[in-house]
Amino acid sequence: MPILREAPKEAEIVSHRLMLRAGMIRQEAAGIYAWLPLGLRVLNNITRIIREEQERAGSVELLMPTIQLADLWRESGRYDAYGKEMLRIRDRHDREMLYGPTNEEMVTEIFRSSVRSYKDLPKNLYHIQWKFRDEVRPRFGVMRSREFLMKDGYSFDLDAAGARVSYNRMVVAYLRTFARLGLKAIPMAADTGPIGGDLSHEFIILAKTGESEVFCHSDYLEFATPEATVNFDDAAELQGLVDRWTSLYAATEEKHDEAAFAAVPEDKRLSARGIEVGHIFYFGTKYSESMKAYVTGPDGKDVPVHMGSYGIGPSRLAAAIIEAGHDDAGIIWPDAVAPFKVGLVNLKPGDQATDAACDDIYAKLTSQGIDVLYDDTDDRAGAKFATMDLIGLPWRLVVGPKGLAAGTVELKRRDGGAAEAVSIDSALARLI
Ligand code: ATP
Ligand code: MG
Ligand code: MG
Ligand code: MG
């Protein structure tokens, strides 16, 4: 945990500054970052939640490689179309390869190699893998990096109606995912860009430092998240949820319609900056036709499958969560993604009673599956508190000789509330 006391000069936005100061990441080359232990714990918590919600929605995980063959991308026509964002590589046999910026081509190749009949549909496959895009202007740390982590999922259906159900499943899964990450993400009508197609939403977090200009109805911020009990096999239930979440105005700059926005009551009109944390597309048969991913339909005729793709940026999310949760002293993690739940501060390492109490508390918490970061360093108390505030763990538990003599330890929430002197037992009861 290489903590920096000073704000690094190169960091322009608060999340970047705090990630560097808290020792979460380290830049190894422009737009290329190492995830240090504390940062990796956050990243892993984010991907765990993404996985849980993907699985709940019926998507199945696989893992595709980072390096792909240029010839695969020639089949879809995107090898030439993609331009300079694609990192192109030659191996020792002079074969043209690339570091994948996305995986539509590869997943289509995998699909067509084994799925032949409509009876095997629908299919929804996802992976969580590093991507490379040679961004013109990598900046803001992992918010816009060149190498970044993406959860990308792909759906395959017999027809447009089926694809719509798959799309809706992902809308609902995404709403749940972002809410569990402690974020208010709004699905906004979006341009489909180089991926193509005609139905697309970006999931946007409102933030002053966001790179997108967005326009929406403010009531979205009060909408209730779909429950975990949603039946992902019930197309009507899914459509109802998606209808509600797309019932009010919400659009990114490219899709913005001044006239439609003017119809939103003035006090509800939100014109703001936003961070794109997810993006979903339905693109019909764009890849299945060019790459010949056909299945035999119920009438015995071969038809190209209807596809959609669904992306989330876990590494960008780590930064977006900090943009949404911090104060002057540092990060304020939502419980679900915090690298540790509890920061245990030993005020007098070497003092036998204090060490024993800390060891006992540490053992009891960890045996209950609670992640505890134990600070038994010789730093001054003030420095330890500053570090705990900086790294933003939900709970701080301070143990020192004076308190112990009075039978108490000090418990404090990072997201507000005063420090309370409580007995060890009641502190444990609050944390477990
Ligand atoms: P942007 O508009 O920010 O360039 P994009 O539209 O090019 O993003 P998509 O192709 O839609 O990105 O990728 C899906 C998700 O991957 C994005 O919503 C975002 O969360 C993440 N992502 C894309 N590019 C980056 C990047 N350079 N660094 C970090 N995350 C990224
Ligand atoms: Mg981009
Ligand atoms: Mg975009
Ligand atoms: Mg996008």
Side-chain angles (χ1 to χ4, degrees):
M1 246 176 65
I3 297 291
L4 305 177
R5 292 282 163 223
E6 302 299 317
K9 277 191 285 304
E10 73 270 23
E12 297 169 67
I13 62 172
V14 66
S15 58
H16 189 194
R17 271 198 298 279
L18 290 173
M19 289 181 88
L20 292 172
R21 285 194 50 211
M24 290 179 63
I25 53 170
R26 177 167 176 77
Q27 180 171 297
E28 294 300 332
I32 300 177
Y33 288 85
W35 287 76
L36 305 183
L38 194 74
L40 183 60
R41 293 180 74 94
V42 171
L43 194 59
N44 286 341
N45 285 338
I46 294 171
T47 52
R48 176 179 43 77
I49 290 172
I50 291 173
R51 279 197 176 89
E52 284 171 12
E53 295 303 329
Q54 288 297 300
E55 303 284 330
R56 190 196 307 281
S59 190
V60 178
E61 186 170 10
L62 79 171
L63 183 59
M64 294 178 268
T66 55
I67 307 291
Q68 308 186 20
L69 282 173
D71 279 343
L72 187 59
W73 285 64
R74 290 202 170 93
E75 288 189 41
S76 69
R78 282 210 296 180
Y79 188 64
D80 294 324
Y82 214 92
K84 286 195 178 261
E85 257 190 32
M86 180 182 276
L87 180 64
R88 297 160 204 259
I89 304 166
R90 273 176 201 272
D91 70 7
R92 64 164 72 194
H93 306 292
D94 223 23
R95 269 192 294 258
E96 291 172 283
M97 311 191 89
L98 57 104
Y99 195 125
T102 178
N103 282 67
E104 280 80 7
E105 283 78 0
M106 191 175 282
V107 79
T108 304
E109 186 281 320
I110 289 171
F111 174 90
R112 77 181 175 197
S113 71
S114 57
V115 181
R116 296 276 145 70
S117 163
Y118 76 96
K119 289 181 190 155
D120 292 324
L121 299 181
K123 284 258 178 287
N124 194 328
L125 301 167
Y126 76 97
H127 74 160
I128 298 178
Q129 178 63 290
W130 295 92
K131 303 288 185 286
F132 195 97
R133 294 183 186 175
D134 205 349
E135 302 275 354
V136 198
R137 249 192 106 192
R139 57 179 187 159
F140 301 157
V142 295
M143 191 75 91
R144 179 170 302 284
S145 47
R146 295 198 295 167
E147 188 182 54
F148 60 95
L149 196 55
M150 200 199 287
K151 184 292 292 187
D152 39 325
Y154 304 89
S155 64
F156 304 86
D157 283 272
L158 179 62
D159 52 24
R164 179 74 217 211
V165 178
S166 295
Y167 187 89
N168 290 349
R169 277 195 190 103
M170 287 298 118
V171 173
V172 174
Y174 275 34
L175 290 170
R176 287 195 43 76
T177 301
F178 295 126
R180 286 186 60 192
L181 295 172
L183 295 169
K184 286 187 184 292
I186 304 171
M188 303 202 183
D191 232 12
T192 51
I195 289 190
D198 55 6
L199 178 58
S200 175
H201 287 89
E202 279 175 19
F203 286 76
I204 303 273
I205 309 289
L206 302 183
K208 280 195 285 295
T209 48
E211 292 185 277
S212 319
E213 208 180 336
V214 299
F215 305 86
C216 69
H217 195 299
S218 60
D219 280 4
Y220 275 124
L221 296 170
E222 317 304 327
F223 273 23
T225 309
E227 299 290 334
T229 50
V230 169
N231 180 355
F232 281 91
D233 293 323
D234 184 339
E237 185 180 353
L238 293 172
Q239 190 63 55
L241 287 165
V242 173
D243 286 347
R244 172 156 166 75
W245 276 92
T246 51
S247 58
L248 303 174
Y249 190 84
T252 59
E253 199 179 2
E254 302 79 39
K255 283 275 183 182
H256 183 48
D257 173 351
E258 276 297 343
F261 191 49
V264 175
E266 199 174 348
D267 60 323
K268 303 274 187 185
R269 250 178 254 159
L270 244 176
S271 151
R273 310 289 302 175
I275 302 168
E276 178 191 330
V277 288
H279 196 167
I280 59 177
F281 306 83
Y282 162 63
F283 43 72
T285 58
K286 181 180 158 92
Y287 297 95
S288 52
E289 267 180 286
S290 58
M291 295 185 63
K292 305 200 172 37
Y294 284 67
V295 294
T296 309
D299 57 4
K301 286 204 189 93
D302 283 354
V303 289
V305 287
H306 285 248
M307 292 174 57
S309 78
Y310 314 94
I312 296 185
S315 48
R316 175 177 290 182
L317 272 166
I321 292 167
I322 296 173
E323 290 293 324
H326 65 268
D327 61 16
D328 290 343
I331 304 168
I332 305 175
W333 291 115
D335 290 60
V337 294
F340 297 88
K341 181 172 177 179
V342 183
L344 175 62
V345 178
N346 181 333
L347 283 183
K348 201 164 185 198
D351 175 70
Q352 221 176 14
T354 312
D355 289 350
C358 286
D359 288 347
D360 184 52
I361 291 169
Y362 185 85
K364 285 188 172 133
L365 288 173
T366 51
S367 74
Q368 295 298 311
I370 291 173
D371 292 325
V372 184
L373 179 68
Y374 179 24
D375 184 348
D376 61 353
T377 62
D378 291 323
D379 291 347
R380 287 177 302 107
K384 291 187 179 191
F385 294 158
T387 298
M388 284 298 172
D389 280 348
L390 174 63
I391 66 174
L393 309 182
W395 293 96
R396 189 183 81 186
L397 183 58
V398 180
V399 182
K402 268 192 212 146
L404 286 177
T408 62
V409 292
E410 188 198 82
L411 189 61
K412 183 174 175 294
R413 279 287 297 180
R414 177 66 179 88
D415 59 6
E420 289 176 69
V422 295
S423 71
I424 292 181
D425 282 346
S426 66
L428 291 175
R430 296 268 287 282
L431 297 172
I432 291 172

